[in-house]
Amino acid sequence: MNQALVPPPAVTSAASVLRIADVTKRFGALTVLERCALDVAEGEIVTLLGPSGCGKTTLLRCIAGFLSPEAGEILIDGRDTVRLPVNRRPVGVVFQSYALFPHLTVGGNVGYGLRMRGMPRAEIAERVARVLETVSLTGFEDRWPSQLSGGQQQRVAIARVLVLEPRVLLLDEPFNALDAKLRGMMQVELRQLMKRLAITAIFVTHDQEEALTMSDRIAVMRAGRIEQVAPPEELFDRPRTEYVADFIGSSNFWDAAADAGRVPLPDGQDLATDLRGPVRVMARPHNIRMRAGAHGPWTGRVRFHRSIGALVEYEVATEAGAVRVLALRQERARPLPEGAEVTLAIVDPDLCAVYGAS
């Protein structure tokens, strides 16, 4: 395999490949990034996740060099890149639109950056061939972008970046142009490719399922700040704030009061907390069990249900408010109808979270 596509050697020091330190960015009086800090290790895929306007794309553009922060450092292999021009930063960017040149073939698109660097024609041809093999596009060298499917165009865009040997790969919502089924397939395919090549990457998306699929860690952003950074499972199971719990996955919240280190749950159980006074309790829909009929203290009536493949999602009206419940669909049993009386119970209180009431 060409040296350009061989995974880089492991970092021998404790330093991160990419370190974002207290980065702040303003547009006039508007602060869009405020003291953002993030470390990315060798071969790690970290996703910036958040709603539109939270600052994730602005942070990506600061890393790429398209924007300059007012304060903070962006270090790659220990070198501050804030004052480096775009063409001297060891990063590669895959854009939403792929930005392929329609007048160039696949081979021409992939080799364009190498030609701009003045590389000999024979070496360009060799490296282009090898990177196309890496993204499973061998034999497509002479095709035009208009002759490719959406997934193939995306692979060409990725190959065009990989051939330049970037130290950090930046991906700005690269699946937006794909339909839902192809998007799911490409998420898995791209993650497998990046892990095989040990690529260090920053991935930007507003789609939580995409982030959970692609990432080693996720940085959830809110109003220009990084709210929490954690692996997908930890982020889902142990969200640090109510905002993260609400943004990641589906959640139920209700008001309660903490006393003597305990918080009562609507089904009669309780859980430990260090908080006191008014609190907010969160339980995931899959952590709530539902039975037909009135059999306990937490009862309600089915407001609606919908089938999601092997699951059925219910919304139940209770005194604590509307509660969403996920249940396995029984093949020969009809879902409980609207208006049916049911009893709810928390499956595992330790999987609930408690937050201070705002």
Side-chain angles (χ1 to χ4, degrees), residues 1-176:
M1 181 178 286
N2 190 324
Q3 186 66 29
L5 301 180
V6 174
V11 174
T12 55
S13 70
S16 302
V17 173
L18 172 66
R19 169 163 289 179
I20 299 166
D22 293 330
V23 167
T24 296
K25 175 63 183 174
R26 300 183 185 91
F27 293 114
L30 179 64
T31 299
V32 292
L33 295 175
E34 187 169 358
R35 297 180 62 85
C36 290
L38 179 67
D39 283 3
V40 183
E42 183 85 33
E44 187 178 28
I45 304 171
V46 174
T47 293
L48 305 179
L49 174 66
S52 297
C54 72
K56 57 188 184 296
T57 296
T58 299
L59 182 54
L60 185 88
R61 292 174 68 84
C62 286
I63 299 169
F66 303 137
L67 294 173
S68 297
E70 272 68 41
E73 296 179 317
I74 299 172
L75 298 98
I76 298 178
D77 289 328
R79 182 186 183 190
D80 190 3
T81 63
V82 167
R83 291 177 177 79
L84 284 180
V86 174
N87 62 348
R88 292 184 57 197
R89 297 195 183 199
V91 302
V93 185
V94 178
F95 299 98
Q96 293 184 35
S97 63
Y98 310 147
L100 300 181
F101 297 117
H103 62 287
L104 296 180
T105 62
V106 168
N109 268 280
V110 174
Y112 179 81
L114 299 178
R115 290 198 303 277
M116 292 301 99
R117 292 181 177 182
M119 187 170 289
R121 184 173 299 179
E123 187 173 351
I124 292 174
E126 178 187 354
R127 290 178 62 168
V128 167
R130 290 190 180 277
V131 78
L132 288 178
E133 179 183 4
T134 299
V135 298
S136 302
L137 286 178
T138 297
F140 284 70
E141 292 87 346
D142 296 327
R143 295 197 189 183
W144 303 97
S146 60
Q147 296 175 309
L148 304 178
S149 68
Q152 290 167 341
Q153 289 182 31
Q154 185 192 60
R155 281 189 248 165
V156 173
I158 293 167
R160 185 173 59 182
V161 173
L162 292 181
V163 80
L164 298 175
E165 305 178 35
R167 194 70 178 99
V168 179
L169 179 63
L170 307 175
L171 302 110
D172 185 11
E173 306 208 46
F175 303 117
N176 272 12

Side-chain angles (χ1 to χ4, degrees), residues 190-208:
L190 179 56
R191 176 173 169 82
Q192 290 175 338
L193 172 64
M194 291 193 294
K195 299 311 287 186
R196 187 170 79 246
L197 298 178
I199 293 171
T200 304
I202 294 287
F203 186 89
V204 166
T205 185
H206 63 276
D207 186 322
Q208 57 173 284

Side-chain angles (χ1 to χ4, degrees), residues 236-248:
F236 186 86
D237 293 337
R238 302 295 178 191
R240 186 180 301 159
T241 66
E242 185 175 338
Y243 172 82
V244 174
D246 189 40
F247 192 81
I248 298 292

